[in-house]
Amino acid sequence: MFKLNLKIAWRNLWKNKVYAAINIGGLALGLTAFVLVILYVNHEESYDTWSPDLKNVYQLREKHDQFTPDNQEHWNALANSKIAALLREKMPQVKAITKVNPDWNFVKGFAVKIANADPLIVSKMKDSDSSFFKVFSYKFIQGNAENALRKPKSIVLKQSLAIKLFGTEKALGKTLKVMMWTTDPGQDLTVTGVVAEPQSPQSVSFNALMRTGDKDTDPQGIGNTNYCQLYARIDGDQNSAMLSGTLQKLYVDFKKALMSQQKINYNDVYKNGKTPGLKFIPLNDLHSNPPFEVNWKEKLKPVIAISIFLLLISVINFINLATAQSVQRAKEVGVKKVLGSYKKQLIFQFLLESALQSIISLFISIILIELVLPEFNSHFNVDLSFWHNPNILALMVQLTGLFLFITLLAGFYPAWILSNYNPVSVLKGNYENGLKGIAFRNVLVIFQFVISVTFIISIGVMQMQSKYISNKDLGFEKGNLINIKTNYEDKLANKIKLIPGVSYVATTTQVMGNTFNVPEKIKYNGNEINLNTVSVTMDALPALGVNVLQGRIFSRDYKQDTVNAVVLNEAAANLISKKPVGKKYEVFNGSKNVTFQIIGVIKNYHNEGFDKAVLPTIYKVTSLGGSATTNNLLIRFNTSKYNDVISKIEKEWRKLYPNYPMDYTSLDDAFSESLEDNERFINMIILFSGISVSLSLLGLFALSTFVAKRRTKEIAVRKVLGASNVQIVNLLNKSFLILVIVANLISWPIAYIIVKKWLDSFAYRIDIPVIPFVIATLLSIVIAVLTVSIQARKAALTDPVNALKYE
């Protein structure tokens, strides 16, 4: 019986090639989007699962406002290095703890030189103490965990880096020189181990792990601190609540003792509900809880929703196309019932047909996945694979479940409808009793168009927001400006200034692509105000091309500028005074108050993404009250053709720093990079919208076909009574126009809520416009009319004699 049903299903596919192709193609597109999301979710969930020992590894996160983008308190991945010694001594539950330098975003990597070869920049080189491999259980290809970091000046390489540097993984005992910054004379490190790349991705990843000795001891002195990442291995049999309580108590006592040594009143710092905090974060939770960033689950929510909608639209198409063919299958069902077929047998037959189409769609979707995976990997910055997936068995189980779910979801309703036909009615040629459920099919079409119209509205709003951001005044001139990732050195700066085509050479801690915010509390007119401090050189603000709103910016003509003068941005000026130029404020510096004078106000300039508001900021040349340096060397050109100028700069660079390659970026590129995520998301919405609209049109085509066949005799009678072809077309169009209009009325509030939430993620945004809503409505109506008219015209041109001759 199964073989017979399979033959019937296969023959029906060939008999209705067009419908089958539309069904299978539509379902394949929906499955492709959904399976890609499954691959991505599997990848993200697989972080830090490469060793069973990792379930007892935790990261320590400290609550503080240092190194935070907005100068507010956050649970930071950087913690005081002295906490490691505290836990070793006071918490016996901690079996091992290690200190590790993070990946700083202001450097691309460290320079590595082997013998007489040219230096290479290697990313993800981390410095740690000797305990790293007591916490993380890596598989050693050469060397072993016990001895790898026993001595300072040792380095452990990942297998891929060892092959890249030495041409072989057998690198044990070999020496390489590492330069951490441009003026670093370098350290000779001996390779003491080579480890394999784990099978699953890691939150704490590295290409090379060094033990230079810097992390072996903590900074001496009361006020000296070093912030790094701390990872601990905990004894497995621990109550998490008790562990957290013990940790917090130890930390509070530690902070009180530290502040007492620094002669800082603990109660003055921690008041108004503010409390110190230290907590353990399980390693398995690190990837889904990044500090200061939106986690991958939040980022993926829109993509998951879109992929589900596309899959639902595909399934709706499947249902509508299957029921559109019901007239052709009615007599087949009637004959089978007369010959003794049971309802269960008929349902099984039609489900088998659905399963056959589903399995073909799934195979096609796998081919499509292989074709689009490279672009998908590039879009999400991952390295996914289907056939070489490390969890291929789990993936196959998921796909099997998806296949069964889709088969039942898409096939059960048509199977139920077809198997319910009254054999007496359909064999007499009366299909009315057997063709119920038109209301349900109308709801499905409305649902499809609600999704499609919502997509179209979203595209319109997103494009307008994107255009607004692209054309927004940044507050500085991004053209003809590059940023070399190095600190300001007079020797290099003076040589670059002599190159024709160079206008300014300067540095600042606040520039797009690399920002280092330092909080500062000032006292003005008896009030305390929290601001952000940026260190600059004299030429930094002219190099950026900022707009001066009040007063002036720094100048060498005024000696005061290097002593206690500051410039404010608009946001800071708004907190102080409408006309702050000439006014003074105080900052507590160590044991005394230091006075600063405001000499000018500049327009806010953007240095981070548009999802963050510009911080109220003080700019100062003086080191009074503290200063900070990062790897920013700004160079402003007075020509747009500056490639030759850059070549000359690189020549001077190589003379001064032969062992450290020059790394630079243009501010134009930094601006484009800040928009990259949103542009990718918009492009994805456009692509999925196109697929959604196409599938919706197929669904509308299916329903219009169904209705035209259902009303064949009605149309014939009307024609005999004198109705024109245009009147017949308008008759069929009218019912579908109502569906599309209803879909638009439903989609408008849904689209409004969605785009408002998306726009709210920007600190700088447009108001929700009406135009995209109007365009989406008109476009959906025009598309619907054209689609239905094709089928309606075909029905109108049919000879009425063919429909009425058996009456």
Side-chain angles (χ1 to χ4, degrees):
M1 191 66 182
F2 176 81
K3 188 176 179 182
L4 177 62
N5 284 332
L6 191 60
K7 279 184 179 180
I8 294 171
W10 183 252
R11 285 171 181 169
N12 274 316
L13 284 182
W14 278 106
K15 183 181 177 183
N16 301 287
K17 295 185 185 69
V18 175
Y19 282 109
I22 292 173
N23 245 347
I24 291 169
L27 199 55
L29 286 174
L31 284 169
T32 299
F34 197 76
V35 174
L36 282 172
V37 171
I38 289 175
L39 284 173
Y40 188 82
V41 170
N42 287 349
H43 169 79
E44 297 297 303
E45 292 286 0
S46 68
Y47 264 81
D48 303 315
T49 58
W50 47 273
S51 170
D53 295 336
L54 296 177
K55 67 179 183 294
N56 295 324
V57 175
Y58 297 80
Q59 183 187 70
L60 281 144
R61 287 195 181 170
E62 187 178 7
K63 186 164 64 173
H64 57 76
D65 60 4
Q66 299 178 64
F67 318 111
T68 63
D70 54 5
N71 294 337
Q72 301 300 313
E73 271 200 331
H74 293 276
W75 287 102
N76 206 325
L78 296 176
N80 192 328
S81 64
K82 294 177 181 178
I83 293 171
L86 174 73
L87 298 194
R88 284 194 189 104
E89 181 183 350
K90 302 288 187 180
M91 280 192 78
Q93 301 96 324
V94 176
K95 297 172 70 175
I97 187 167
T98 185
K99 297 179 283 187
V100 187
N101 265 354
D103 293 319
W104 296 108
N105 59 5
F106 55 80
V107 290
K108 190 175 181 180
F110 295 156
V112 175
K113 186 174 175 61
I114 300 170
N116 297 320
D118 291 333
L120 297 171
I121 292 291
V122 177
S123 62
K124 293 187 177 180
M125 293 187 71
K126 295 188 175 181
D127 193 10
S128 78
D129 58 13
S130 60
S131 301
F132 185 86
F133 293 111
K134 294 176 184 176
V135 176
F136 296 95
S137 305
Y138 277 85
K139 179 185 176 183
F140 275 77
I141 297 172
Q142 285 200 295
N144 57 70
E146 290 76 21
N147 299 320
L149 298 178
R150 178 176 290 179
K151 298 179 181 178
K153 308 301 178 186
S154 56
I155 185 169
V156 175
L157 306 177
K158 281 281 182 70
Q159 184 181 13
S160 56
L161 182 59
I163 294 171
K164 181 179 179 180
L165 295 177
F166 300 105
T168 174
E169 63 186 31
K170 296 178 181 178
L172 207 63
K174 295 184 178 181
T175 302
L176 49 83
K177 178 175 280 189
V178 175
M179 284 69 65
M180 297 186 180
W181 55 87
T182 51
T183 55
D184 183 9
Q187 301 182 66
D188 289 324
L189 304 179
T190 303
V191 179
T192 54
V194 177
V195 295
E197 185 71 43
Q199 290 297 309
S200 64
Q202 315 137 75
S203 298
V204 190
S205 61
F206 64 87
N207 289 319
L209 190 79
M210 307 173 287
R211 183 191 170 193
T212 62
D214 291 346
K215 288 285 171 287
D216 291 349
T217 56
D218 296 316
Q220 300 298 311
I222 295 173
N224 296 332
T225 56
N226 175 258
Y227 279 82
C228 60
Q229 292 178 347
L230 300 177
Y231 297 95
R233 179 183 291 279
I234 306 296
D235 189 347
D237 302 323
Q238 295 296 324
N239 181 291
S240 58
M242 290 181 62
L243 194 68
S244 298
T246 304
L247 180 68
Q248 181 64 14
K249 185 177 183 305
L250 280 174
Y251 181 68
V252 171
D253 293 342
F254 166 76
K255 289 292 287 186
K256 286 180 178 177
L258 194 64
M259 288 182 172
S260 176
Q261 292 175 358
Q262 296 172 335
K263 297 181 180 179
I264 299 172
N265 190 308
Y266 175 88
N267 293 324
D268 286 344
V269 175
Y270 294 104
K271 58 185 178 181
N272 300 325
K274 192 176 178 182
T275 57
L278 185 70
K279 66 178 179 179
F280 285 122
I281 298 287
L283 191 69
N284 290 338
D285 293 342
L286 285 194
H287 183 63
S288 57
N289 287 285
F292 322 126
E293 294 179 21
V294 178
N295 64 52
W296 69 268
K297 292 179 181 178
E298 288 297 319
K299 287 180 181 178
L300 206 63
K301 275 182 180 178
V303 183
I304 292 173
I306 290 168
S307 63
I308 291 173
F309 285 144
L310 285 181
L311 189 60
L312 284 175
I313 289 175
S314 301
V315 170
I316 290 169
N317 267 358
F318 194 103
I319 293 170
N320 280 340
L321 285 165
T323 52
Q325 299 176 72
S326 57
V327 172
Q328 298 175 16
R329 306 296 300 275
K331 286 187 179 180
E332 175 192 336
V333 172
V335 170
K336 284 189 173 182
K337 280 195 169 184
V338 169
L339 294 175
S341 292
Y342 293 106
K343 186 175 181 178
K344 289 181 181 178
Q345 292 173 314
L346 293 170
I347 289 176
F348 177 76
Q349 177 196 330
F350 293 124
L351 280 177
L352 187 62
E353 291 183 19
S354 298
L356 185 59
Q357 294 180 67
S358 297
I359 197 71
I360 296 171
S361 298
L362 192 58
F363 279 119
I364 293 173
S365 74
I366 291 170
I367 295 170
L368 291 174
I369 286 165
E370 287 295 321
L371 293 174
V372 302
L373 256 182
E375 184 64 29
F376 186 86
N377 286 336
S378 173
H379 180 90
F380 286 100
N381 195 27
V382 290
D383 185 21
L384 304 182
S385 173
F386 186 88
W387 294 112
H388 300 289
N389 195 300
N391 299 315
I392 188 69
L393 291 177
L395 180 62
M396 288 302 170
V397 171
Q398 289 170 330
L399 292 182
T400 302
L402 181 62
F403 160 71
L404 293 173
F405 177 74
I406 293 300
T407 298
L408 291 173
L409 187 65
F412 184 78
Y413 178 74
W416 180 264
I417 292 297
L418 290 168
S419 64
N420 268 337
Y421 282 152
N422 186 327
V424 177
S425 297
V426 295
L427 291 176
K428 284 182 176 180
N430 180 11
Y431 303 99
E432 288 302 315
N433 294 333
L435 299 177
K436 295 177 181 177
I438 190 67
F440 178 67
R441 286 183 284 277
N442 286 343
V443 168
L444 295 182
V445 169
I446 289 172
F447 180 74
Q448 282 184 311
F449 267 87
V450 166
I451 295 171
S452 298
V453 172
T454 303
F455 273 142
I456 295 169
I457 293 170
S458 301
I459 289 172
V461 175
M462 288 176 179
Q463 291 283 21
M464 293 177 77
Q465 171 68 9
S466 180
K467 185 177 180 181
Y468 168 77
I469 289 174
S470 299
N471 298 325
K472 190 179 188 305
D473 182 9
L474 298 176
F476 73 97
E477 296 293 330
K478 67 181 188 299
N480 298 340
L481 185 64
I482 68 168
N483 183 19
I484 301 176
K485 290 191 175 181
T486 185
N487 288 329
Y488 188 93
E489 298 286 342
D490 287 328
K491 190 186 296 184
L492 176 63
N494 291 334
K495 286 184 177 294
I496 294 174
K497 287 175 184 177
L498 296 174
I499 297 173
V502 173
S503 298
Y504 294 104
V505 181
T507 190
T508 171
T509 56
Q510 189 188 65
V511 67
M512 186 164 281
N514 185 25
T515 297
F516 189 79
N517 295 317
V518 179
E520 185 170 78
K521 185 177 288 186
I522 72 167
K523 185 174 260 188
Y524 175 75
N525 282 347
N527 299 317
E528 288 187 343
I529 304 172
N530 291 314
L531 297 174
N532 180 50
T533 304
V534 169
S535 301
V536 298
T537 51
M538 194 68 73
D539 291 333
L541 297 180
L544 286 167
V546 299
N547 299 317
V548 182
L549 301 178
Q550 296 181 42
R552 62 178 179 84
I553 54 177
F554 303 113
S555 170
R556 289 182 175 82
D557 296 334
Y558 300 89
K559 290 183 179 179
Q560 171 202 350
D561 289 1
T562 59
V563 180
N564 68 338
V566 298
V567 172
L568 308 181
N569 68 358
E570 284 178 278
N574 290 337
L575 297 176
I576 293 176
S577 170
K578 289 183 178 179
K579 294 184 177 179
V581 176
K583 293 183 168 58
K584 297 179 180 181
Y585 68 82
E586 292 182 336
V587 174
F588 182 75
N589 181 27
S591 58
K592 62 179 181 178
N593 286 329
V594 179
T595 302
F596 291 90
Q597 183 171 17
I598 300 164
I599 62 169
V601 178
I602 63 171
K603 188 173 183 178
N604 291 341
Y605 74 82
H606 291 272
N607 55 86
E608 294 191 72
F610 292 93
D611 56 330
K612 301 180 183 73
V614 174
L615 293 174
T617 302
I618 299 168
Y619 302 88
K620 60 182 181 178
V621 174
T622 175
S623 59
L624 194 65
S627 63
T629 58
T630 56
N631 280 14
N632 289 322
L633 184 64
L634 297 178
I635 301 174
R636 165 73 68 184
F637 303 105
N638 53 29
T639 172
S640 58
K641 298 179 180 178
Y642 51 78
N643 288 331
D644 290 339
V645 183
I646 291 177
S647 298
K648 292 175 182 176
I649 294 172
E650 287 179 327
K651 187 176 179 181
E652 295 296 336
W653 176 280
R654 283 192 294 271
K655 289 178 184 177
L656 290 172
Y657 314 120
N659 292 329
Y660 203 101
M662 188 175 98
D663 179 30
Y664 74 93
T665 183
S666 72
L667 269 292
D668 272 320
D669 290 341
F671 175 67
S672 299
E673 190 175 335
S674 70
L675 302 179
E676 204 169 69
D677 284 345
N678 277 313
E679 286 179 355
R680 284 176 174 175
F681 182 69
I682 291 170
N683 289 336
M684 182 186 65
I685 293 292
I686 292 172
L687 174 63
F688 282 6
S689 297
I691 296 171
S692 170
V693 171
S694 300
L695 292 175
S696 296
L697 293 181
L698 291 176
L700 193 62
F701 175 79
L703 191 59
S704 62
T705 302
F706 175 86
V707 170
K709 288 180 178 179
R710 184 172 180 264
R711 301 177 71 175
T712 301
K713 289 186 176 65
E714 178 193 342
I715 291 168
V717 170
R718 286 179 181 273
K719 288 196 72 176
V720 168
L721 294 175
S724 67
N725 290 340
V726 174
Q727 288 175 319
I728 298 297
V729 170
N730 289 340
L731 174 70
L732 293 176
N733 265 323
K734 184 180 177 181
S735 58
F736 289 104
L737 273 178
I738 293 171
L739 297 182
V740 175
I741 290 170
V742 169
N744 274 277
L745 292 174
I746 296 171
S747 67
W748 276 40
I750 295 172
Y752 180 87
I753 293 168
I754 291 171
V755 296
K756 184 180 184 303
K757 187 174 181 181
W758 183 74
L759 286 173
D760 286 344
S761 66
F762 293 90
Y764 305 91
R765 46 159 286 189
I766 60 172
D767 294 325
I768 297 178
V770 176
I771 293 174
F773 290 81
V774 175
I775 290 175
T777 300
L778 294 175
L779 192 61
S780 62
I781 289 172
V782 170
I783 289 172
V785 167
L786 289 175
T787 305
V788 175
S789 293
I790 293 171
Q791 191 61 41
R793 184 176 179 274
K794 183 180 176 183
L797 292 175
T798 303
D799 190 346
V801 175
N802 294 330
L804 300 173
K805 63 184 178 181
Y806 293 112
E807 291 297 323

